[in-house]
Amino acid sequence: MSFTNVWIPDKQALKEQYLDYSAHFTVLLKRLEDHLRSIVKVSALPSYKTRVKSFDSYYSKLLKFPPIDPLIDFPVTTDLIGIRVICPFLQNLDEVEKLLIKNFSIIEVERKGANRTFYEFGYESTHVLAVIPESFKVGLLLPRDLIFEVQIRTILQDAWAEVEHELIYKFEFSPFDFPLKRKFASINASLNLADILFQEVRDAQNSLNTELDKRREQFYSRADDFTNEILGSYTGASEVQSMESSRHGSSLETIDSIIFHAIRAHNRGDFETAEALYTKILNQKPNKLVASIVYKHRGMAFFAQGDYEGAYQDFSLSLTENPKNFHSYYYAGIVLMMLDRNTEAITLFTRSLEINGYQPHVYFRRALAYFQEDQLGNASHDLDNAVALGLPAREEKKLRTAIAKKIDMV
C-alpha cells in the first residue's frame, strides 16, 4: 500500500510568528486604509470596513489551500490583509476599481458572481489583489510576499453577503429544500433589482442636475451683464465673470419627466415650450414644495427673456408656496435690482441670508445693492463677509475698487 505525503503546517510555530507580526499588520492596514480614503474620490462617498484575518481563519485557509512552497517560514494568504469599500451605487464600483488600478500595482481583479446565468443569484463582489507599496512597509516587520485584498461592493451587495454568511456558511446545516432555496434566491434578486433601480434614479438626478447647471449659467450670465454695467464705469472692466456660474426623449407623464423636459427646453432657448411645461405642472396642483420649485424655474425662464416683471411675480409666488426657499429670495432680489428697486432688493437678500447665512454670492449682491444706494459702509461690510465665505478675488477687487472710487468722489 502506498501513501501520499501531505504537508501539515506546524500550527504552534505559525501562531507564534503570527503574533509577532500582528501589531505590524494592524499598522499596515491603517496606512492602506488612510491612503484609500485619500485617493478614492467618487460620485458618492463610500464607507470602509477593514480587518486582519484572525489566526484561526488564516490557519484554516492554509489547510484548504496549501502553499506551493511548504518551506516558506510563514506562507501568506491573499486575503490576510483586507479592506472592503462599500459604495452607494453600482456606478461607484467601476469608479473605485479604476482608481485602484491607477494607484497600485494590481495582481488580479476577480468579479465574484459575474459568470452566473440570468436565473442564478448569489454573492456578488469585485475582489482586487494588489502589491503593497514599499513606502507603506517602512518600519514594519512583515512576512515575505505579503499582498492585500480590496473588496468593492454596493451597500446592498454587502448586506446580502453578511446575511448569507450568517445563515449559511457559519452553520453545518444549509438549506437544501427547494422552497427555502427559492426564498433565498428571491431575496437576492430583490436586492439586485433595488441596486439597479437606485442607479437609474441616480442617473436621472445627474441628468437633471446637468440641465439645472446650464440653466443657472444662463440666469447668472444676464445678472452679470447688469453687474458689469454698474461697475464698468468705476473699474474699466469689460467683463465680470460670476462666481455663481462657476458652481454648479421619454414620455411626459410624471412631474419629474415634465420638469426635466422643461429645463432642457429652457436651456436650449425654447422658452415657449419651457413655460408651457412649467405651467402644465402647476395646473396639476402639486404640493407646495414642488410648486415653489416650479414657480422658481418659470421665473428664471421669464428672466432669461428680459421679462423682469413676470420673473418677479413667479419668484414671489414661489415664496408664497415656500417661505423658506432662500434661492427664490435671492433671485427675486436680483430682479428688483435690475428694476432699480434696490431697497426692496436689500430686504430680500437679507431674508435669504437669515435662512442660510453661508451664501457669499448673496452677500456680494447685497453689497452691490448697498453700493447703488450709496450706503458704502454697509457695502464694504457685506463684501468682507462675502470674501470670508469664499468670494473669488477678482469679484472682490472690482467692487472694492468701485467703492473706493465712489468714496473719493464724495
Side-chain angles (χ1 to χ4, degrees), residues 266 271 275 297-308 310-311 314:
H266 186 154
F271 298 112
E275 291 166 16
H297 289 321
R298 196 174 70 175
M300 294 176 84
F302 287 134
F303 183 87
Q305 300 171 84
D307 181 358
Y308 301 139
D314 265 9

Side-chain angles (χ1 to χ4, degrees), residues 177-189:
D177 62 300
F178 183 74
L180 201 50
K181 279 189 172 182
R182 186 167 57 187
K183 289 178 182 178
F184 270 90
S186 297
I187 294 170
N188 187 255

Side-chain angles (χ1 to χ4, degrees), residues 88-257:
F89 302 104
L90 288 170
Q91 76 177 75
N92 304 139
L93 304 183
D94 184 57
E95 294 170 345
V96 173
E97 181 183 327
K98 287 179 179 177
L99 286 169
L100 291 175
I101 292 172
K102 179 180 178 181
N103 288 275
F104 292 96
S105 177
I106 303 302
I107 299 170
E108 178 183 281
V109 177
E110 181 182 7
R111 292 176 179 80
K112 303 282 188 178
N115 295 324
R116 289 193 179 90
T117 61
F118 70 91
Y119 54 83
E120 293 178 305
F121 299 94
Y123 173 80
E124 291 187 19
S125 182
T126 300
H127 291 198
V128 179
L129 299 182
V131 175
I132 299 169
E134 291 300 318
S135 59
F136 288 78
K137 302 178 183 179
V138 175
L140 300 180
L141 175 66
L142 300 169
R144 191 181 73 184
D145 299 327
L146 182 66
I147 62 176
F148 73 107
E149 179 185 71
V150 181
Q151 298 177 355
I152 315 169
R153 302 175 184 168
T154 65
I155 295 170
L156 296 181
Q157 287 173 349
D158 189 60
W160 168 259
E162 294 288 353
V163 172
E164 185 183 43
H165 186 71
E166 288 291 329
L167 293 179
I168 298 178
Y169 294 107
K170 280 192 173 183
F171 289 87
E172 182 178 351
F173 171 77
S174 296
F176 291 106
D177 62 300
F178 183 74
L180 201 50
K181 279 189 172 182
R182 186 167 57 187
K183 289 178 182 178
F184 270 90
S186 297
I187 294 170
N188 187 255
S190 298
L191 292 175
N192 274 271
L193 178 60
D195 257 338
I196 293 169
L197 293 175
F198 283 147
Q199 184 62 56
E200 289 180 353
V201 171
R202 184 66 165 183
D203 290 342
Q205 288 178 328
N206 289 338
S207 295
L208 181 59
N209 285 338
T210 298
E211 296 298 330
L212 287 172
D213 287 342
K214 293 177 184 176
R215 191 226 49 214
R216 289 190 189 100
E217 288 177 4
Q218 292 179 352
F219 181 90
Y220 294 131
S221 177
R222 180 174 285 271
D224 288 342
D225 289 341
F226 175 72
T227 303
N228 188 54
E229 291 175 9
I230 295 174
L231 299 182
S233 60
Y234 292 94
T235 65
S238 61
E239 181 182 1
V240 176
Q241 182 179 358
S242 169
M243 71 170 295
E244 299 103 320
S245 63
S246 64
R247 303 178 182 195
H248 311 310
S250 57
S251 61
L252 301 180
E253 296 178 354
T254 67
I255 288 178
D256 286 332
S257 62

Side-chain angles (χ1 to χ4, degrees), residues 13-31:
L14 284 176
K15 187 170 186 177
E16 291 174 4
Q17 290 188 72
Y18 177 90
L19 293 175
D20 289 339
Y21 288 131
S22 181
H24 299 267
F25 287 155
T26 302
V27 173
L28 173 64
L29 183 59
K30 184 65 168 63
R31 291 177 181 177

